Structure formats: C-alpha cells, structure tokens
Amino acid sequence: MAGQSLLSAMGGVLVVFLIAPLLGLVTATSFGDFVAGLRHPLVWPALRLSLITTSASLLFVVVFGTPLSWTLARANGRFIRAVEVLTNLPAVIPPAVAGIALLLAFGRRGLLAGWLYPRGWSVAFTTLAVIMAEIFISAPFFVQAATSAFRRLDGNCLVVARTLGASPLRIFFRIGLPMATPSLLAGAAMSWARALGEFGATLMFAGNFTGKTQTLPLAIYTALESNLCAAQALSLLLVVVAFAVLLFVRVVLARTTADEMREY
Amino acid sequence: MNSLQAVVAGRIGALYVDAQIDTGDGTLVIVGPNGAGKTTLLLMLLGIRRPHSGRITVGESKLLDTAANLEVAVENRRLGYVPQDYGLFPHLTVLENVEFALECDSTGRQRKSRRIEAEAILDHLDLMELTARQSSELSGGEKQKVALARALAAKPQALLLDEPLGALDVAARHDVRLFLAAYLKKLDIPAIVVTHDPNEARTLGDRLAVLEAGRIAQAGTWEELCEQPATTFVQQLVSRM
C-alpha cells in the first residue's frame, strides 16, 4: 500500500510539472485580454494562413500517406522496413534540422534547384514552403497510425475478400479503408495538430512574412516581442485546439476499441 | 461432381508439408493434431501460401502446376473459403457481406440484381431475418451460415472450411454440426473441411485424410480407418469415438 502511494506520488510530480505551464497560461490571461489579444493585426492573417496550409498539408498527407501505409502494412522485406524507418525519421529529427534539410533539397542552392529554378518554380520562403514543412514534419504521425491500423486488421477478412475474387483496389477501398477508418481519423487529427504547431522547420525554410508564411506559432513568436497579450491569446487558442484534438482522438479510438471488443 | 485433387510440397516456417489429397465425389475431412499443417495445406490450396512444387486441379480446371509454370492467382481460383473465425466484414451488414461476393464477379450486374440474388441466397439458408444486422450482432452459428452464404454466392468450384465448429460454444456445436453435415451432403461441389475433432471428422466427411507432421498418414473412409489404422494417432483418433 505504502509502495503504491510512493509510485503515485512520483507520477504526481510529473503531472504537476506538465500542468503548471498550461495553468500559468490560463490564469495569466483574462477573458478581456484574450479578446483584445485576438484583435491584434497579426492574428487574423496568421490564423487564416494556418488553416489554409494545414488543410493543404493534411490533404496531401492523407491522399498519399494512406496508400503508403497500406503498402507498408501489407508488404514484407528489408526494403519495405527501410522505407518505414525513413518515413518515420522526420518525427524524431529536430525541426531546425528539418528546415535545413528542406532548404538543401528545395532551396535556391539545393539538390533540386537545377531542375526547379530554371522553370521559375521558386519554392523556399513562399506559402508552398510552409505547406511542405508541415507535410515533412506531420506526415510520420499519420503514416505510423495508419500503418499500425492496417496491420491490426483481421487478416482472415482480407484473405476471404481475395478468395471471393476482389481486386487489390476493391479490397483497399471496400474492406481495408472502412475497417481502419476510426484509427485513420485519429491519425489524421494528430498529424494535423502537429502541422498546426510546426515552428522550426517553417521558420528556416519559409521565413516569417505576415500573410505569406507567418503561421500561428510564428505569429506568437513575433507578438512576444511587441504585444504579450496577443501572444498569450494565440497560445491559449492553440492549447484549446490541441485539447479538442486529443479529446476527438480519445473518443474515436474508444469507440473503435468498444467495437473490436464486441466482435469477441 | 468434379473432384479437387492436389499434390503439394513446401516449407512454411518450421513445418514441411508434403501432401496428396483427393476429395472424390463429396466432402473430404482433413483431420490431424494441432500443428500438423492443416491450415497451411488449406492456404496452399487457396494460393495464399506458395508450395515449392505441386499440382492442384478441380475437375478439368488447373489451379497450379509448378512443372508447367502455371499458377492461377488467389482471386481467380474460385475456391470458397470459410476461415475459423468466419472473416465476416464487420463494417457491412449480413446482406452487404453477401452482396460483396456478387460485386466481385466480372459480369458487371446492376446493384438491384445483385441485391435480389443475395437475398435469394440468404433466404435459401433461412437467414432473411438477419439481413440488416452487423456481424457483431450474430451468434456463432449465424456467423457460420452467413460466411457459408457469402462463400457460395461467388459460385466457387470447391468449398474449403477451416475448423467450422472451432469458434462455437459446446451448446451450439451439436446443432451447427448437424446442419453442416446435411448441407455439405446436398452441395454439388467438392468440399474440404479441416478439423482436429474426431466427432466432426466422422459426421462431416465422406472421406478422411489424416495429416500428421505435414504428411498424409492415412486416407480413406471412417470405416477403413477403424479397420486398419496406419499410425498410433489414427488408432487414438478412431478409438476416441
């Protein structure tokens, strides 16, 4: 009993540490400050840009990440394992490193510069660069969730579908995709939240230009120097959004688990 | 009736399977202890697992002939399969599960015509009351029948059932066994049933093939096995009845 209390107390230390900054943010911002902060001229362009770029990056990640995850989950071999590790890499490398890597690939003196720039495709320091940075950083969150969701599918269902004469595309669209939908939604929500919070790679690869590349996290960074009230309001907004995403993921996944349990 | 004949050999993991089977004019039960390679053999017939060498035919239709470099893809073998846990698609209703099988043929029929046929198949198996249910709302016996209906909807040239009573509780097992035995007798395609249970082996099959450590230890009718058991396992199998 005493041992359990000790373990709980140790866990409590971490909980307090994690909650304290959030509590500080909430208590330091009155409702009036929050509303005033949101009226700051930096806020609306950043909010608008963040919504546009994260929607675009999420669309790209889901459209291309879902088939990738299906392939990773269904195939075997060293090459496939290597691809899986590589696609997870952006989730663990520091965002600043990601920014440099993106510059060295797509920047004016990057790997693909000889192909991009003569055609007039200037990528770095544009809104497109913001989207690319968000894709690079957030894709692994979706791919990991989707791959493990596809791996968890009942293999017998997929075998039966093949014996019934279903083509690979029909199995993907009619069986695999609908069966994994809740986990894919959860993965997409986590990926979107990560894209929304993207800062380091965006700053290095896209810069910090109002209305063009200044997303919400960059606006917080900028506002911190001139208007603390706006920085606090934007931070609070992002915390609320993050909390809503986590809540959504938990509800969706809880429902999936309940469905799976009912099967047995 | 055509018969399904197969000679397959191949290593899957630690097990080397080397078996020759023939359903003859009816249902062949493959019986054997756990780990003997029964499911692996079924998966080789279906084309999910690839034997190193072999020949599989159903009547005149060749599904595999490694000597002639011929291998029909899983999707085109037209072998109906009911796995042990039935493999019903959980996001589809009973009717949609059967409709899916009809969707997969290449005749390009209208949805309405597929629905009418799916309902006729379900009606044939007395499942019309269940059409709108999801698989999670069915009993084990009902799932079994729906999986059977779905497999037959694709008009297979042979039917393969893996431990068809394995996932049922004891109370349901008796009724479903009687139903299956009667149903398989009426079927006009060859069937293979895999089981480890001697009671099921005796009632479901016309002929039996006893699989031990990847090889067919003995094949014949139940009576032939009783008269001259070839191995200790066969002796124990028939004496347990």
Side-chain angles (χ1 to χ4, degrees), chain B residues 1-21:
Chain B
M1 186 196 287
N2 290 325
S3 70
L4 188 160
Q5 299 177 334
V7 188
V8 286
R11 179 173 295 283
I12 305 291
L15 183 72
Y16 187 73
V17 175
D18 184 359
Q20 178 168 4
I21 54 164

Side-chain angles (χ1 to χ4, degrees), chain A residues 156 160 162 170 174 263, chain B residues 75 85 91 103-104 135 150:
Chain A
N156 275 331
V160 166
R162 289 182 72 190
R170 190 184 294 276
R174 293 273 283 122
E263 275 293 300
Chain B
E75 295 78 13
D85 68 358
H91 60 293
E103 248 177 73
C104 296
S135 64
R150 183 181 60 181

Side-chain angles (χ1 to χ4, degrees), chain A residues 154 156-157 159-167 170 174-175 178-179 262-263, chain B residues 46 48 74-75 79 81 83 85 87-89 91 100 103-104 135-136 143 150:
Chain A
D154 179 358
N156 275 331
C157 285
V159 168
V160 166
R162 289 182 72 190
T163 65
L164 292 171
S167 65
R170 190 184 294 276
R174 293 273 283 122
I175 306 296
M179 278 173 74
R262 224 183 318 145
E263 275 293 300
Chain B
L46 289 168
I48 302 291
V74 180
E75 295 78 13
L79 296 177
Y81 175 51
D85 68 358
L88 293 179
F89 307 132
H91 60 293
F100 181 84
E103 248 177 73
C104 296
S135 64
S136 57
K143 284 182 187 174
R150 183 181 60 181

Side-chain angles (χ1 to χ4, degrees), chain B residues 43-58:
Chain B
L43 295 177
M44 282 182 174
L45 297 177
L46 289 168
I48 302 291
R49 298 283 191 175
R50 193 183 216 165
H52 297 318
S53 66
R55 193 166 185 278
I56 303 170
T57 58
V58 184

Side-chain angles (χ1 to χ4, degrees), chain B residues 4-214:
Chain B
L4 188 160
Q5 299 177 334
V7 188
V8 286
R11 179 173 295 283
I12 305 291
L15 183 72
Y16 187 73
V17 175
D18 184 359
Q20 178 168 4
I21 54 164
D22 182 353
T23 59
D25 264 358
T27 301
L28 172 74
V29 171
I30 298 175
V31 61
N34 288 334
K38 303 185 296 290
T39 300
T40 304
L41 182 56
L42 271 196
L43 295 177
M44 282 182 174
L45 297 177
L46 289 168
I48 302 291
R49 298 283 191 175
R50 193 183 216 165
H52 297 318
S53 66
R55 193 166 185 278
I56 303 170
T57 58
V58 184
E60 296 296 306
S61 150
K62 273 190 192 174
L63 304 182
L64 177 79
D65 188 351
T66 49
N69 218 6
L70 172 105
E71 185 179 2
V72 175
V74 180
E75 295 78 13
N76 301 323
R77 289 198 180 195
R78 292 184 48 229
L79 296 177
Y81 175 51
V82 178
Q84 185 172 352
D85 68 358
Y86 319 116
L88 293 179
F89 307 132
H91 60 293
L92 302 180
T93 64
V94 165
L95 185 63
E96 288 164 345
N97 262 276
V98 178
E99 276 185 300
F100 181 84
L102 298 169
E103 248 177 73
C104 296
D105 67 19
S106 51
T107 50
R109 279 175 303 162
Q110 294 296 311
R111 189 167 182 198
K112 198 175 167 190
S113 130
R114 289 201 303 262
R115 177 144 293 195
I116 291 168
E117 187 176 342
E119 283 173 347
I121 293 164
L122 287 168
D123 191 28
H124 179 64
L125 281 160
D126 292 327
L127 295 169
M128 276 309 277
E129 286 176 13
L130 308 177
T131 50
R133 293 205 199 159
Q134 307 279 136
S135 64
S136 57
E137 300 164 326
L138 302 177
S139 70
E142 289 166 342
K143 284 182 187 174
Q144 168 78 260
K145 283 186 176 180
V146 173
L148 200 59
R150 183 181 60 181
L152 293 172
K155 298 183 186 61
Q157 48 184 345
L159 185 64
L160 313 183
L161 307 167
D162 191 2
E163 298 277 3
L165 310 175
L168 298 177
D169 55 46
V170 181
R173 205 169 278 192
H174 176 71
D175 290 346
V176 178
R177 188 172 61 231
L178 291 181
F179 158 79
L180 255 188
Y183 197 81
L184 289 171
K185 284 234 177 324
K186 286 189 289 181
L187 214 58
D188 56 358
I189 52 171
I192 291 178
V193 176
V194 155
T195 182
H196 67 281
D197 183 291
N199 200 11
E200 291 166 24
R202 186 182 183 181
T203 42
L204 295 179
D206 302 307
R207 299 180 72 252
L208 294 96
V210 183
L211 193 70
E212 287 181 57

Side-chain angles (χ1 to χ4, degrees), chain A residues 174-198:
Chain A
R174 293 273 283 122
I175 306 296
L177 212 50
M179 278 173 74
T181 295
S183 301
L184 297 185
L185 282 177
M190 291 301 283
S191 172
W192 179 76
R194 180 63 192 87
L196 188 68
E198 208 321 282

Side-chain angles (χ1 to χ4, degrees), chain A residues 73-126:
Chain A
R74 307 267 290 147
N76 285 312
R78 271 187 208 163
F79 175 71
I80 288 290
R81 295 288 80 84
V83 171
E84 190 173 358
V85 171
L86 281 175
T87 50
N88 286 337
L89 205 55
V92 282
I93 61 173
V97 176
I100 291 181
L102 284 165
L103 268 178
L104 293 176
F106 304 104
R108 193 166 286 279
R109 277 181 283 172
L111 195 65
L112 300 172
W115 187 76
L116 289 170
Y117 286 82
R119 289 173 172 76
W121 294 340
S122 178
V123 177
F125 306 105
T126 63

